[in-house]
Amino acid sequence: MFGSSAVMESDEGGDKVAIGPIVSSGHLASGSLPALSEVEFGLIMLGHAFNRWMVRGMAAAGVPDLSPLDVLVLHNINHRGKGKTLADICLVLNIEDTHTVAYSLKKLERLKLIQSAKRGKEKLVAVTGKGQNVCARYAAIREELLVKSVLATEVSPEALSQIATRMRALSGHYDQATRAAASL
């Protein structure tokens, strides 16, 4: 009846009884693909944990009071050490609300973690030396506290890459369903 991740509970007679998959909304798991609800609940839990990690990791690196989006934007700007436009950042991070990224850019610039310049009509942002140092400290803390812990689980890098590939593919399905829902 339920997938392999169904939770088992003992009844009064001691027999194991399936009570269903681990989900946040049972009514969404009652359709033809309950496993998708399990994935969604996992994404909820992972998303919140990842957001908390980014904020605490950046605070440990010396920059408290950044939001998860601020941290993502800073790391994206630091990526490959080349200037980025607001549109570049939004595209890569799959963010529709550009004003939220624009606010993060102002905040990061105020903290002197990034700087802006003009290239023709476009505004480019680039990481400063201070921003590079903060990203390097964050990376070192991440290696020590997170990567070592994940390595101890003996999950292979290949398995993690396969999960990431499937997550990106699922994002396309959600994007398509979003466009379809917007036309209803």
Side-chain angles (χ1 to χ4, degrees):
M1 175 176 188
F2 294 110
S4 61
S5 62
V7 175
M8 301 299 283
E9 187 175 88
S10 296
D11 65 8
E12 292 174 11
D15 294 325
K16 295 286 184 182
V17 178
I19 59 172
I22 304 288
V23 298
S24 64
S25 304
H27 64 283
L28 298 177
S30 64
S32 58
L33 191 56
L36 187 57
S37 290
E38 290 183 274
V39 169
E40 291 168 348
F41 187 52
L43 286 172
I44 291 166
M45 302 301 290
L46 181 61
H48 290 300
F50 182 56
N51 286 342
R52 281 191 304 274
W53 154 251
M54 286 188 294
V55 168
R56 301 292 180 158
M58 191 55 76
V63 186
D65 301 324
L66 291 185
S67 71
L69 181 60
D70 299 334
V71 177
L72 288 173
V73 169
L74 177 61
H75 285 302
N76 180 260
I77 295 168
N78 188 53
H79 179 63
R80 300 204 175 153
K82 63 180 190 174
K84 310 238 179 1
T85 65
L86 174 64
D88 294 335
I89 296 164
C90 290
L91 178 67
V92 169
L93 297 178
N94 198 21
I95 297 173
E96 222 175 75
D97 300 325
T98 59
H99 67 281
T100 60
V101 175
Y103 180 79
S104 284
L105 294 175
K106 288 177 186 172
K107 185 175 180 181
L108 295 170
E109 193 163 15
R110 225 178 15 257
L111 293 169
K112 300 191 183 330
L113 299 173
I114 65 168
Q115 59 192 5
S116 62
K118 289 279 190 176
R119 180 180 68 190
K121 292 182 178 182
E122 286 188 312
K123 178 181 175 182
L124 288 178
V125 291
V127 72
T128 62
K130 179 181 177 184
Q132 288 174 337
N133 290 337
V134 166
C135 287
R137 282 197 305 275
Y138 179 98
I141 291 165
R142 179 180 176 272
E143 193 70 27
E144 188 62 32
L145 300 179
L146 183 62
V147 173
K148 281 186 177 181
S149 173
V150 172
L151 284 171
T153 66
E154 299 182 10
V155 173
S156 73
E158 295 79 15
L160 288 175
S161 288
Q162 288 175 352
I163 291 168
T165 298
R166 289 190 175 119
M167 289 171 67
R168 288 190 304 274
L170 275 172
S171 76
H173 293 286
Y174 280 97
D175 281 341
Q176 178 59 36
T178 300
R179 285 188 293 277
S183 70
L184 294 179

